Amino acid sequence: LEPANFYHLVQFMIYDKDNNGMVSIDETMYLLYARLGRDGMESTISKLFGGEDGAPVKEVGNQGGEVDFQRYWEVLSKEQLRRFHESDLGKI
């Protein structure tokens, strides 16, 4: 695995507190807030748990909805690439 992909796998495993192979909104909120702040957390939560077209998050189940690793990895990889391109390093 590439280091960034390995990071996402480990992060997913940390978020998956109940070890069911899925992460919920509740499981991801705290770590995203600490890492990205409120705005970054809300944006990432919307991308993970909302629709591809920016649709609002639909809360279902006891923990507000869940996604599997495939969805989690796809969204965070796109977000990481977007942030890189917006940074000074991505403009070289």
Side-chain angles (χ1 to χ4, degrees):
L1 285 175
E2 294 283 326
N5 295 343
F6 184 68
Y7 173 78
H8 291 313
L9 175 62
V10 170
Q11 190 177 39
F12 182 88
M13 292 170 67
I14 290 169
Y15 289 164
D16 185 14
K17 302 261 186 225
D18 55 6
N19 296 315
N20 69 348
M22 308 282 274
V23 291
S24 69
I25 292 175
D26 292 345
E27 289 171 330
T28 58
M29 271 181 154
Y30 301 107
L31 293 171
L32 286 176
Y33 181 79
R35 196 171 119 214
L36 305 172
R38 183 182 173 113
D39 291 338
M41 176 199 70
E42 290 177 354
S43 170
T44 303
I45 291 287
S46 293
K47 289 174 183 161
L48 277 170
F49 298 98
E52 290 292 325
D53 58 356
V57 174
K58 293 181 180 177
E59 294 194 25
V60 294
N62 293 336
Q63 297 181 336
E66 295 181 311
V67 294
D68 62 9
F69 179 72
Q70 181 69 33
R71 168 85 176 149
Y72 182 83
W73 182 80
E74 288 171 1
V75 169
L76 292 182
S77 294
K78 287 178 188 175
E79 190 66 12
Q80 184 177 14
L81 188 59
R82 183 191 64 78
R83 285 192 181 132
F84 172 74
H85 287 298
E86 290 176 355
S87 74
D88 290 337
L89 292 173
K91 296 176 183 173
I92 294 176

